[in-house]
Amino acid sequence: EQPVAADPAMRPAPCPPAIARPKRLSVTEIKTLVRDPYAIYAKHVLRLRPLNSLMHAPDALLRGTVLHKVFESFVASTVQDPANLTRENFLAITDHVLASEVAWPDMRLMWRARILRVADWFLAQEAERQQTATPIAFEVKGTAQLPDLGFTLSGTADRIDQDPTGSLHIYDYKT
């Protein structure tokens, strides 16, 4: 048998008509658009969605959700009572969130160890942040309209603080 020569296929380069292109993306999706435009094409133009896994496993999405919940719950507790800005309170909230959100004991231990590695730094930074501004909102959704492009950019701030001058400090926690 002789193999048949075949020219290499061209790399997919979807170019849907302007009417089919998304008119709204989140800030996170802009990063995806730059890195992997085909993912945006598949999601927003072809409307493809990944199938749910048959077995739920601890993944980066769950880890990020858990970490956000730990930080948000801790900071909210310090707003209610500044005396809660302690390592003990932080670890108690960490343990509570891990127990309620993470079904895998080994992952709870591993993720707790990772949180412990940043605990002292986070507590020191939080004390400094609260000296300059007060947390006023958590998980705030917002949009920016770009009328010239007919496009909307959306995003969610994990936390917004306000300082005495009225300026806002917007935080997006990253894992």
Side-chain angles (χ1 to χ4, degrees), residues 115-137:
I115 291 172
L116 279 174
R117 283 194 307 226
V118 300
D120 292 330
W121 172 85
F122 177 75
L123 291 166
Q125 294 295 311
E126 187 56 33
E128 194 175 301
R129 278 189 288 270
Q130 290 192 21
Q131 292 294 319
T132 59
T134 303
I136 60 169

Side-chain angles (χ1 to χ4, degrees), residues 38-135:
Y38 192 75
I40 297 297
Y41 174 75
K43 180 178 180 182
H44 291 284
V45 176
L46 299 178
R47 301 196 191 301
L48 298 176
R49 301 288 183 262
L51 297 173
N52 290 334
S53 172
L54 294 176
M55 285 184 49
H56 185 66
D59 57 9
L61 178 62
L62 178 61
R63 187 177 68 236
T65 301
V66 165
L67 188 63
H68 278 68
K69 197 168 197 174
V70 167
F71 287 166
E72 183 178 326
S73 299
F74 174 73
V75 173
S77 79
T78 67
V79 171
Q80 292 172 352
D81 182 0
N84 285 334
L85 187 58
T86 65
R87 182 179 172 87
E88 293 74 26
N89 183 45
F90 182 71
L91 295 179
I93 288 172
T94 297
D95 291 338
H96 174 75
V97 171
L98 287 170
S100 66
E101 301 292 325
V102 182
W104 304 268
D106 56 335
M107 286 295 105
R108 283 196 299 268
L109 290 172
M110 186 182 308
W111 292 354
R112 186 180 197 275
R114 288 181 178 178
I115 291 172
L116 279 174
R117 283 194 307 226
V118 300
D120 292 330
W121 172 85
F122 177 75
L123 291 166
Q125 294 295 311
E126 187 56 33
E128 194 175 301
R129 278 189 288 270
Q130 290 192 21
Q131 292 294 319
T132 59
T134 303

Side-chain angles (χ1 to χ4, degrees), residues 26-31 61 64-65 67-69 71-72 75 121-122 126 129 137-142 154-161 168-175:
S26 70
V27 172
T28 305
E29 288 176 316
I30 298 298
K31 180 179 173 184
L61 178 62
T65 301
L67 188 63
H68 278 68
K69 197 168 197 174
F71 287 166
E72 183 178 326
V75 173
W121 172 85
F122 177 75
E126 187 56 33
R129 278 189 288 270
F138 300 96
E139 296 295 322
V140 178
K141 295 184 184 309
S154 66
T156 302
D158 291 325
R159 168 181 168 184
I160 300 176
D161 293 3
L168 299 175
H169 303 254
I170 300 172
Y171 296 95
D172 183 29
Y173 301 133
K174 295 295 181 200
T175 55

